[in-house]
Amino acid sequence: MAKMTNPGTFVRQVRQETAKVTWPTRRETIVTTIMVLIMTTILSLFFLGVDQVLGRIVQFLLDIAK
């Protein structure tokens, strides 16, 4: 079982680790957000197209089976 540290030591360790983090700049955050929005839009349109094509194929096969 791991040894418990006291709350003061824990907080100090958390602050030390947080100081090591490389935080993104405002510009990096904005650019990354825009890229995510563009990629999700492109992928949603792609999957919409695939869904439409597959739906029409299934509907065609079901019409044939009647």
Side-chain angles (χ1 to χ4, degrees):
M1 188 168 161
K3 180 184 171 192
M4 297 288 290
T5 59
N6 66 40
T9 304
F10 176 75
V11 170
R12 191 167 36 261
Q13 290 173 350
V14 168
R15 286 186 179 174
Q16 288 172 348
E17 291 300 318
T18 304
K20 295 178 187 177
V21 174
T22 304
W23 298 102
T25 63
R26 182 175 181 83
R27 178 168 166 68
E28 289 172 335
T29 304
I30 292 170
V31 168
T32 303
T33 302
I34 291 170
M35 292 303 296
V36 167
L37 292 173
I38 290 170
M39 291 305 295
T40 54
T41 302
I42 290 170
L43 285 172
S44 66
L45 292 173
F46 170 76
F47 285 117
L48 173 66
V50 169
D51 183 57
Q52 292 295 315
V53 169
L54 292 176
R56 288 176 193 224
I57 290 170
V58 168
Q59 190 62 47
F60 174 74
L61 293 174
L62 289 173
D63 289 342
I64 290 175
K66 284 184 180 178

